Amino acid sequence: MGNMFRFTGLLFVTLLPGVLAAQQPPALPALKQEAAAQVDGLQTLTQQMVDEIFSFSELGFQEFETSRYVTGILEKNGFQVELGVAGIPTAWVATYGSGKPVIAFITDLDCIPRASQKPGVAYHAPMIEGAPGHGEGHNSGMAVNVTAALVLKKLMDKHHLAGTIRLIPGVAEELLGTKAFYLRAGLFKDVDVVLGAHVSHQFATTYATGEGTWSGLVSVQYFFHGKAAHAAARPWEGLSALDAVSLMNAGWEFRREHLRPQQRSHYIVLNGGDQPNVVPSEAAVWYYFRELDYPHIKELYELGNTMAQAATMMTGTTVHHKLVGSAWPPFLNKVIAEAQQENIEAVGMPKWSDSDQTLAKALQKEIGAKVEGMKENVEPLSEPAKNPTGGVSDDVGDISWNVPMVYLMYPANIPNLPGHSWANGVAMAAPIAHKGSTAGAKVQAMTALDFLRQPELVKQAWDYFRNVQTKEVHYESFLSPDDKPAIEMNKEKMEKFAPQLKKFYYDPTRYKTYLEQLGIQYPTVKAQP
Ligand SMILES: [Zn+2]
């Protein structure tokens, strides 16, 4: 008996330091290494997500299959999912863990009209003529963020790490249609750090105004109302809504010369009437007004409204307008970007195969771009532009003015492509996108760990946000209390193509990859003369 007591006592004493050590999570570098290894272990799932979402090809506000699929994976893995948030049927919030800090991942879901393209094929070859397609590469974003989140969940369970992981989809990003509504609904009010991810040909991050090529915008539709009449028998009895559209556009083109060079504005005619022998009683035009900051965007918006009003005075018509999208130009957090940059450098560029390079070069040649293949190196963190020129917009900008945020560009596409076109879809269900998404997921998970494990870094990010970024500029939403998300948009287009698209949905239970399912040789390039 006595011996046994002595023995267990001894055992207890010798085991005690070991038990205590086991309760302490590993140091941050070891945690990051473990995260990267786990992301590698999920490569098949990452590839399946990239391919599956590519095959759904859903336009903004109609991402029903995509959202069902992604939330299904998250729910199965123990995340709590709330569907239909902010009055948007395809929007959701998925959460794991509890307490502070709250780290939110965001990335887009939607695709581009008429961008249907066979993956792995280096020339224009639509899967379905005229159908939407992932000609922006948004199909890879959820693969990045979900992979990172699943790995973080495992590490949080295993090492008892405190904190909350939240995933939010960038529904209808191509319409700049949701983020202001997310903020109005309070989706970010308890969030400490936002880690956005977007497809790129680079592996890079940035802070403040970055390269200076971001604009903010409002997206506004003008609906003119006139009076129908027989266009030949009694044209004098009609009032043409199309005339008003034409005059508004002509007015805008003249005025354009006298606007700041930083503005960018463009429009499409939404409705030009029904047939020439009927004076159009209804016509509509859709404008994007882009500028560098809130006051200048507001000014353009008001000028647009004035032009529309003036067109009604010339034509005897009436007009009403609808705001269908808005975005602040993004401003990214220096503290998070610096942490993220270290992780980008630690992960490094994926190893591109000869096939990847052949596809990239053949596509660059095909579209008349500079032929240089894939990027081999990550980008350094550069100083933000002193004089931004403006250019593209993304409604994550609104989030960046409410919570410290960074935007990871992960290397899942080919350089020198035009954007928003079939060419940008070529690599997006091919090994280039699969490898780039795995690399991106590593950086997302590692950067989340930086902020989960270092409360002082969260504090520093907020110091930059409060004392540098928002010292003089304060967020004001472009939304009026009556504005509602434009959830009806793209409904008809999607309904038209859904039956054909369904035939091409990826089935990972039968095929290892989507290329295999489609029977596409990788890469497929035109024969060289
Ligand atoms: Zn995008």
Side-chain angles (χ1 to χ4, degrees):
M1 273 297 229
N3 273 345
M4 204 171 153
F5 269 125
R6 212 164 47 231
F7 177 68
T8 45
L10 192 71
L11 192 70
F12 185 65
V13 168
T14 47
L15 276 182
L16 193 57
V19 169
L20 279 180
Q23 283 172 343
Q24 284 293 320
L28 186 55
L31 274 176
K32 286 189 186 181
Q33 242 179 24
E34 197 178 343
Q38 298 240 15
V39 169
D40 274 331
L42 289 180
Q43 273 180 69
T44 303
L45 179 66
T46 308
Q47 166 255 312
Q48 286 174 354
M49 286 191 271
V50 168
D51 288 1
E52 190 73 85
I53 299 171
F54 182 94
S55 78
F56 292 149
S57 292
E58 291 180 303
L59 292 165
F61 287 119
Q62 307 304 322
E63 308 96 332
F64 289 99
E65 294 290 345
T66 308
S67 284
R68 197 175 302 137
Y69 170 71
V70 174
T71 55
I73 293 172
L74 289 165
E75 253 170 346
K76 208 179 82 193
N77 283 281
F79 281 71
Q80 259 192 354
V81 176
E82 193 190 342
L83 298 165
V85 296
I88 299 162
T90 54
W92 43 269
V93 174
T95 309
Y96 189 80
S98 60
K100 288 283 194 177
V102 180
I103 313 276
F105 288 98
I106 190 154
T107 195
D108 305 324
L109 297 176
D110 55 332
C111 75
I112 303 282
R114 295 181 187 278
S116 177
Q117 169 67 24
K118 286 184 185 162
V121 177
Y123 47 85
H124 191 200
M127 303 255 304
I128 300 160
E129 194 66 50
H134 272 289
E136 163 81 0
H138 285 174
N139 61 303
S140 57
M142 274 298 161
V144 169
N145 282 357
V146 172
T147 303
L150 296 184
V151 163
L152 287 166
K153 185 223 164 200
K154 267 194 209 166
L155 295 185
M156 286 162 83
D157 288 349
K158 183 176 163 193
H159 302 300
H160 309 287
L161 309 180
T164 305
I165 299 295
R166 184 174 295 166
L167 288 95
I168 298 174
V171 166
E173 188 280 319
E174 295 300 344
L175 298 169
L176 297 308
T178 54
K179 308 314 190 308
F181 293 101
Y182 287 178
L183 288 157
R184 192 163 82 179
L187 299 193
F188 289 87
K189 66 177 189 300
D190 61 340
V191 174
D192 294 289
V193 166
V194 178
L195 302 178
H198 196 280
V199 59
S200 175
H201 58 277
Q202 295 183 330
F203 210 177
T205 191
T206 186
Y207 65 95
T209 52
E211 291 173 2
T213 53
W214 296 108
S215 298
L217 66 64
V218 288
S219 155
V220 192
Q221 296 178 341
Y222 294 92
F223 299 90
F224 291 90
H225 318 286
K227 199 173 141 209
H230 193 301
R234 293 177 165 270
W236 51 85
E237 288 188 3
L239 293 167
S240 169
L242 178 61
D243 287 355
V245 166
S246 303
L247 286 164
M248 178 181 179
N249 295 346
W252 192 263
E253 292 305 346
F254 278 99
R255 189 63 177 267
R256 188 191 291 279
E257 186 186 352
H258 310 291
L259 299 174
R260 296 207 321 158
Q262 292 90 335
Q263 73 83 31
R264 275 182 209 190
S265 46
H266 14 256
Y267 53 83
I268 62 142
V269 175
L270 266 180
N271 174 11
D274 296 301
Q275 58 186 58
N277 64 351
V278 181
V279 172
S281 59
E282 299 294 327
V285 61
W286 183 5
Y287 271 79
Y288 278 19
F289 299 115
R290 302 189 205 241
E291 252 284 6
L292 291 187
D293 53 37
Y294 181 85
H296 286 106
I297 298 164
K298 197 97 177 145
E299 230 171 75
L300 279 190
Y301 187 9
E302 276 156 18
L303 183 59
N305 295 346
T306 303
M307 291 274 173
Q309 214 55 55
T312 65
M313 291 164 81
M314 286 186 274
T315 52
T317 57
T318 59
V319 69
H320 79 272
H321 70 261
K322 191 177 160 203
L323 183 85
V324 295
S326 65
W328 273 57
F331 193 104
L332 303 165
N333 191 279
K334 190 178 182 189
V335 176
I336 317 177
E338 284 170 349
Q340 184 163 67
Q341 180 68 27
E342 282 186 33
N343 298 325
I344 290 172
E345 285 168 17
V347 171
M349 264 300 185
K351 296 270 172 288
W352 308 117
S353 68
D354 290 347
S355 301
D356 299 335
Q357 293 287 9
T358 304
L359 181 80
K361 286 177 184 164
L363 180 62
Q364 288 163 343
K365 185 160 181 261
E366 174 70 16
I367 62 167
K370 192 173 171 202
V371 179
E372 54 181 359
M374 298 297 296
K375 289 242 170 211
E376 303 279 6
N377 296 305
V378 307
E379 303 296 317
L381 187 65
S382 49
E383 284 284 308
K386 293 269 181 299
N387 297 302
T389 56
V392 295
S393 309
D394 189 319
D395 57 354
V396 291
D398 289 55
I399 297 169
S400 76
W401 284 96
N402 283 273
V403 187
M405 174 180 163
V406 79
Y407 215 13
L408 171 69
M409 297 291 136
Y410 56 90
N413 212 342
I414 294 166
N416 309 336
L417 305 183
H420 290 183
S421 88
W422 63 268
N424 290 66
V426 167
M428 290 316 305
I432 290 172
H434 303 149
K435 287 183 242 184
S437 300
T438 289
K442 287 180 187 174
V443 173
Q444 286 291 76
M446 288 159 79
T447 310
L449 285 169
D450 278 324
F451 289 86
L452 282 173
R453 302 303 298 150
Q454 302 178 104
E456 68 280 9
L457 214 55
V458 177
K459 224 180 126 272
Q460 283 171 29
W462 276 94
D463 281 346
Y464 178 84
F465 180 81
R466 289 198 181 101
N467 302 322
V468 179
Q469 177 181 352
T470 61
K471 196 169 171 218
E472 275 152 17
V473 182
H474 298 284
Y475 178 73
E476 269 180 272
S477 177
F478 286 107
L479 302 183
S480 76
D482 309 327
D483 288 322
K484 290 189 186 69
I487 58 174
E488 290 302 308
M489 288 182 79
N490 289 324
K491 195 162 182 262
E492 279 173 35
K493 274 186 206 164
M494 238 21 250
E495 276 170 3
K496 180 180 166 197
F497 287 107
Q500 296 172 71
L501 285 162
K502 275 199 173 91
K503 292 180 207 154
F504 293 102
Y505 284 178
Y506 171 47
D507 181 359
T509 63
R510 293 177 59 198
Y511 302 98
K512 267 167 73 182
T513 66
Y514 195 40
L515 287 174
E516 189 185 306
Q517 176 171 331
L518 297 173
I520 292 171
Q521 179 77 32
Y522 183 74
T524 296
V525 302
K526 279 184 180 167
Q528 299 301 312

